[in-house]
Amino acid sequence: ARNNVHRDLRQRHLRQKPDGQVPGRQSLSGSHLDAFVVEQALLALEPAALEVSLQVAADVQARRDELHAHWRQRLERAKFEADRAFRQYNVVDPENRLVARGLERRWEQALAEEQLLRDAYAREAAEAPKVLTDVEREGIRAIARDLPSLWHAETTTVRDRQTVLRHLIDSVAVTVD
Protein backbone atom coordinates (compact mmCIF):
# COMPACT_ATOMS: atom_id res chain seq x y z
CA ALA A 1 0.00 0.00 0.00
CA ARG A 2 2.86 2.34 0.81
CA ASN A 3 4.36 1.79 -2.69
CA ASN A 4 0.98 2.56 -4.26
CA VAL A 5 0.73 5.86 -2.35
CA HIS A 6 4.26 6.79 -3.39
CA ARG A 7 3.41 5.92 -7.01
CA ASP A 8 0.22 7.98 -6.83
CA LEU A 9 2.08 11.01 -5.47
CA ARG A 10 4.66 10.69 -8.18
CA GLN A 11 1.97 10.46 -10.87
CA ARG A 12 0.27 13.61 -9.49
CA HIS A 13 3.56 15.52 -9.64
CA LEU A 14 4.18 14.33 -13.17
CA ARG A 15 0.74 15.57 -14.19
CA GLN A 16 1.37 18.93 -12.52
CA LYS A 17 4.65 19.63 -14.36
CA PRO A 18 4.28 20.00 -18.13
CA ASP A 19 7.81 18.77 -18.87
CA GLY A 20 7.26 15.57 -16.85
CA GLN A 21 9.94 16.30 -14.26
CA VAL A 22 9.49 15.22 -10.68
CA PRO A 23 10.07 18.07 -8.19
CA GLY A 24 13.40 17.77 -6.45
CA ARG A 25 14.95 15.81 -9.28
CA GLN A 26 17.03 17.26 -12.04
CA SER A 27 17.19 16.01 -15.56
CA LEU A 28 19.06 16.85 -18.70
CA SER A 29 17.98 15.92 -22.18
CA GLY A 30 20.56 13.84 -24.01
CA SER A 31 19.77 15.57 -27.30
CA HIS A 32 20.52 18.99 -25.78
CA LEU A 33 23.78 17.70 -24.37
CA ASP A 34 24.71 16.12 -27.71
CA ALA A 35 23.96 19.37 -29.54
CA PHE A 36 26.08 21.35 -27.08
CA VAL A 37 29.01 18.93 -27.36
CA VAL A 38 28.85 19.03 -31.17
CA GLU A 39 28.70 22.83 -31.15
CA GLN A 40 31.77 23.03 -28.91
CA ALA A 41 33.65 20.49 -31.03
CA LEU A 42 32.91 22.40 -34.23
CA LEU A 43 34.03 25.64 -32.60
CA ALA A 44 37.28 23.95 -31.58
CA LEU A 45 37.80 22.61 -35.09
CA GLU A 46 36.98 25.73 -37.08
CA PRO A 47 40.32 27.61 -37.00
CA ALA A 48 42.33 24.40 -37.18
CA ALA A 49 40.25 23.05 -40.06
CA LEU A 50 41.02 25.98 -42.32
CA GLU A 51 44.70 25.81 -41.50
CA VAL A 52 44.80 22.04 -42.03
CA SER A 53 42.97 22.24 -45.33
CA LEU A 54 45.36 24.86 -46.68
CA GLN A 55 48.34 22.86 -45.43
CA VAL A 56 47.00 19.75 -47.19
CA ALA A 57 46.73 21.73 -50.43
CA ALA A 58 50.29 22.98 -50.00
CA ASP A 59 51.53 19.46 -49.23
CA VAL A 60 49.82 18.06 -52.32
CA GLN A 61 51.45 20.74 -54.47
CA ALA A 62 54.85 20.10 -52.89
CA ARG A 63 54.51 16.37 -53.61
CA ARG A 64 53.59 17.13 -57.22
CA ASP A 65 56.64 19.37 -57.54
CA GLU A 66 58.87 16.60 -56.14
CA LEU A 67 57.46 14.07 -58.61
CA HIS A 68 57.89 16.50 -61.49
CA ALA A 69 61.53 17.11 -60.50
CA HIS A 70 62.10 13.35 -60.28
CA TRP A 71 60.65 12.83 -63.78
CA ARG A 72 62.77 15.68 -65.15
CA GLN A 73 65.91 14.05 -63.76
CA ARG A 74 64.99 10.68 -65.26
CA LEU A 75 64.28 12.29 -68.64
CA GLU A 76 67.56 14.22 -68.55
CA ARG A 77 69.46 11.02 -67.73
CA ALA A 78 67.76 9.15 -70.60
CA LYS A 79 68.55 12.01 -73.02
CA PHE A 80 72.16 12.05 -71.86
CA GLU A 81 72.46 8.29 -72.44
CA ALA A 82 70.93 8.59 -75.94
CA ASP A 83 73.25 11.49 -76.83
CA ARG A 84 76.25 9.59 -75.50
CA ALA A 85 75.30 6.50 -77.53
CA PHE A 86 75.00 8.69 -80.64
CA ARG A 87 78.41 10.31 -80.06
CA GLN A 88 80.01 6.87 -79.66
CA TYR A 89 78.32 5.61 -82.83
CA ASN A 90 79.27 8.77 -84.70
CA VAL A 91 83.00 8.51 -83.96
CA VAL A 92 83.39 4.84 -84.90
CA ASP A 93 85.27 4.04 -88.07
CA PRO A 94 82.66 3.01 -90.71
CA GLU A 95 84.97 0.24 -91.89
CA ASN A 96 84.64 -1.45 -88.51
CA ARG A 97 81.11 -2.63 -89.29
CA LEU A 98 80.76 -5.05 -86.39
CA VAL A 99 81.49 -2.36 -83.79
CA ALA A 100 79.35 0.17 -85.73
CA ARG A 101 76.34 -2.22 -85.72
CA GLY A 102 76.69 -2.81 -81.99
CA LEU A 103 76.93 0.91 -81.28
CA GLU A 104 73.99 1.61 -83.61
CA ARG A 105 71.85 -0.94 -81.71
CA ARG A 106 72.89 0.62 -78.42
CA TRP A 107 71.97 4.09 -79.73
CA GLU A 108 68.58 2.87 -80.99
CA GLN A 109 67.93 1.15 -77.67
CA ALA A 110 68.78 4.35 -75.77
CA LEU A 111 66.43 6.34 -78.04
CA ALA A 112 63.66 3.79 -77.51
CA GLU A 113 64.13 3.90 -73.71
CA GLU A 114 64.07 7.69 -73.79
CA GLN A 115 60.82 7.61 -75.80
CA LEU A 116 59.25 5.08 -73.44
CA LEU A 117 60.14 7.28 -70.51
CA ARG A 118 58.70 10.37 -72.24
CA ASP A 119 55.47 8.46 -72.94
CA ALA A 120 55.25 7.26 -69.34
CA TYR A 121 55.79 10.82 -68.09
CA ALA A 122 53.11 12.13 -70.44
CA ARG A 123 50.65 9.51 -69.15
CA GLU A 124 51.55 10.28 -65.55
CA ALA A 125 51.16 14.00 -66.12
CA ALA A 126 47.78 13.49 -67.81
CA GLU A 127 46.48 11.25 -65.00
CA ALA A 128 47.85 13.33 -62.13
CA PRO A 129 45.46 15.84 -60.60
CA LYS A 130 46.15 19.32 -61.76
CA VAL A 131 47.43 22.08 -59.53
CA LEU A 132 44.71 23.49 -57.30
CA THR A 133 43.16 26.53 -58.87
CA ASP A 134 42.13 29.60 -56.91
CA VAL A 135 38.52 28.45 -57.24
CA GLU A 136 39.41 25.02 -55.78
CA ARG A 137 41.35 26.65 -52.93
CA GLU A 138 38.38 28.86 -52.19
CA GLY A 139 36.18 25.75 -52.20
CA ILE A 140 38.42 24.20 -49.55
CA ARG A 141 38.21 27.38 -47.50
CA ALA A 142 34.41 27.43 -47.85
CA ILE A 143 34.13 23.85 -46.60
CA ALA A 144 36.40 24.63 -43.67
CA ARG A 145 34.37 27.73 -42.83
CA ASP A 146 31.12 25.79 -43.00
CA LEU A 147 31.94 22.75 -40.92
CA PRO A 148 28.40 22.49 -39.51
CA SER A 149 27.06 21.81 -43.02
CA LEU A 150 29.68 19.12 -43.56
CA TRP A 151 28.90 17.69 -40.12
CA HIS A 152 25.17 17.50 -40.85
CA ALA A 153 25.51 16.41 -44.49
CA GLU A 154 23.71 13.23 -45.52
CA THR A 155 27.04 11.72 -46.59
CA THR A 156 28.50 12.12 -43.08
CA THR A 157 27.58 9.00 -41.14
CA VAL A 158 26.94 8.74 -37.43
CA ARG A 159 30.04 6.58 -37.21
CA ASP A 160 32.13 9.35 -38.86
CA ARG A 161 30.79 11.89 -36.36
CA GLN A 162 31.49 9.59 -33.42
CA THR A 163 35.03 8.95 -34.64
CA VAL A 164 35.76 12.67 -34.90
CA LEU A 165 34.36 13.33 -31.45
CA ARG A 166 36.31 10.44 -29.93
CA HIS A 167 39.52 11.97 -31.26
CA LEU A 168 38.63 15.36 -29.80
CA ILE A 169 36.97 14.53 -26.49
CA ASP A 170 38.15 12.28 -23.68
CA SER A 171 35.05 12.67 -21.54
CA VAL A 172 32.05 14.88 -20.89
CA ALA A 173 31.27 15.87 -17.31
CA VAL A 174 28.03 17.66 -16.51
CA THR A 175 27.81 19.60 -13.25
CA VAL A 176 24.94 21.59 -11.80
CA ASP A 177 25.48 25.00 -10.22
Side-chain angles (χ1 to χ4, degrees), residues 88-101:
Q88 288 174 342
Y89 170 74
N90 201 30
V91 296
V92 74
D93 183 7
E95 290 182 15
N96 194 347
R97 292 182 183 173
L98 186 60
V99 172
R101 272 190 239 132

Side-chain angles (χ1 to χ4, degrees), residues 69-83:
H70 177 71
W71 275 104
R72 268 197 328 258
Q73 288 175 343
R74 290 180 67 193
L75 288 168
E76 286 174 11
R77 194 174 314 119
K79 175 136 180 62
F80 173 79
E81 290 298 325
D83 289 347

Side-chain angles (χ1 to χ4, degrees), residues 57 59-69 128-132:
D59 291 347
V60 167
Q61 184 57 46
R63 179 70 178 134
R64 286 182 190 153
D65 292 344
E66 287 175 15
L67 286 173
H68 183 67
K130 303 299 177 207
V131 175
L132 288 176

Side-chain angles (χ1 to χ4, degrees), residues 17-84:
K17 300 217 28 130
D19 59 354
Q21 292 182 5
V22 176
R25 293 188 181 177
Q26 296 176 350
S27 66
L28 178 63
S29 167
S31 63
H32 293 297
L33 181 59
D34 287 348
F36 180 76
V37 169
V38 166
E39 179 185 337
Q40 295 305 306
L42 291 176
L43 284 174
L45 279 174
E46 227 169 58
L50 179 58
E51 186 59 36
V52 166
S53 63
L54 294 177
Q55 185 59 47
V56 166
D59 291 347
V60 167
Q61 184 57 46
R63 179 70 178 134
R64 286 182 190 153
D65 292 344
E66 287 175 15
L67 286 173
H68 183 67
H70 177 71
W71 275 104
R72 268 197 328 258
Q73 288 175 343
R74 290 180 67 193
L75 288 168
E76 286 174 11
R77 194 174 314 119
K79 175 136 180 62
F80 173 79
E81 290 298 325
D83 289 347
R84 184 167 154 220

